Amino acid sequence: MAAIVAVLALIWAGYRRLPAGPATGTDFCGPAAVLAATERSSFRVGSFNIHGGEGRDERLDLARTAECLKTLDVVGLNEVYGRMFWESSGQAEALGESLQMPWLFAPAEHRWGHGHFGNAALCRLPVSVWERIPLPQRYGHSCRNALLLSTHFRGRTLRLVITHLDRSDDRERNRQFQAVSALFLEQQEPAILLGDLNTTGDESLLAELLSTAGVHDPLSEILGDKTPRRIDWLLTRGLETVDAGLIDNGASDHPCVWAELKLTRDAERPAR
């Protein structure tokens, strides 16, 4: 009986979600950054909730996921799984290797003794520092975080916030939204917010953020009245939109939102 109790206790401990906690670093994994700071006048960034690599046909296929990302230079990913004991790599690593892009997994929760589930980033631009920031959470709910990156493009520091907000409790989602919104707005320009916010544009918190001076929604700038109702967002400050769109090949139950961006004239001047 004691052995059975011990096994059940071990299973329960492994199954329980635990917050991954904060972390900081300076390095991504995989190959070195391959896009020189002055190589181009613009870069492409995307936000993609990959649904753990499972498509609308309920088939797991990270090759389809990678296909959505192959033209992008910086990507924020949501619903990414870490490496299980029997696997050679986690999903962020597998995508980074497939695309030959530096990668970082930012688990929001630990299960079974390892970083189990969370956000990730792929980035061809050089990264100087990253920070994993836990978001407000109620006991028993999914753990969430934000990943703050400092990258460099044409001599300027570019700050990105990557996140995925909870949808199971509106009060908790609102608290998380306020924390992420404040983090995005306090960054020195140029800055980008990427992620599944589980919030539509007509909801008050997002409507307020979209109306904030200097905040831009590249997708709606390009698509105008044809912009679909959505919960996945790519917002910018201090950047000019060249192009934007959606990539949807059925690799996930979400589309990949992308934008081609360049520095505004003011942002091109070195900070003093």
Side-chain angles (χ1 to χ4, degrees), residues 13-95:
Y15 183 76
R16 187 173 53 146
R17 292 189 179 103
L18 296 173
T24 60
T26 56
D27 297 319
F28 270 39
C29 303
V34 295
L35 181 63
T38 58
E39 190 174 314
R40 299 204 311 255
S41 61
S42 64
F43 63 96
R44 286 193 168 203
V45 60
S47 179
F48 194 19
N49 181 327
I50 69 169
H51 196 220
E54 183 181 312
R56 290 195 180 91
D57 56 5
E58 300 183 351
R59 183 167 56 91
L60 180 63
D61 185 356
L62 283 179
R64 286 190 301 184
T65 307
E67 185 70 18
C68 294
L69 308 175
K70 64 182 183 180
T71 64
L72 305 179
D73 303 307
V74 185
V75 188
L77 302 175
N78 311 130
E79 293 193 17
V80 181
Y81 285 95
R83 181 178 67 85
M84 294 300 289
F85 304 115
W86 60 85
E87 295 175 321
S88 61
S89 63
Q91 293 184 333
E93 180 179 358
L95 289 169

Side-chain angles (χ1 to χ4, degrees), residues 15-22 107-111 117 133-146 163-180:
Y15 183 76
R16 187 173 53 146
R17 292 189 179 103
L18 296 173
E109 66 182 35
H110 277 280
R111 297 176 83 177
F117 178 82
I133 306 168
L135 296 179
Q137 177 216 3
R138 292 179 63 192
Y139 179 78
H141 284 240
S142 297
C143 308
R144 305 288 173 169
N145 65 18
T163 195
H164 180 198
L165 306 187
D166 194 6
R167 67 176 181 179
S168 59
D169 184 296
D170 285 345
R171 289 176 298 176
E172 197 64 17
R173 177 175 56 105
N174 290 348
R175 290 178 61 204
Q176 293 174 356
F177 188 101
Q178 290 168 343
V180 166

Side-chain angles (χ1 to χ4, degrees), residues 184-205:
F184 171 55
L185 293 176
E186 73 187 20
Q187 301 306 310
Q188 184 175 339
E189 296 181 358
I192 304 174
L193 173 60
L194 303 168
D196 178 357
L197 303 182
N198 271 309
T199 307
T200 57
D202 55 359
E203 295 183 61
S204 60
L205 284 174

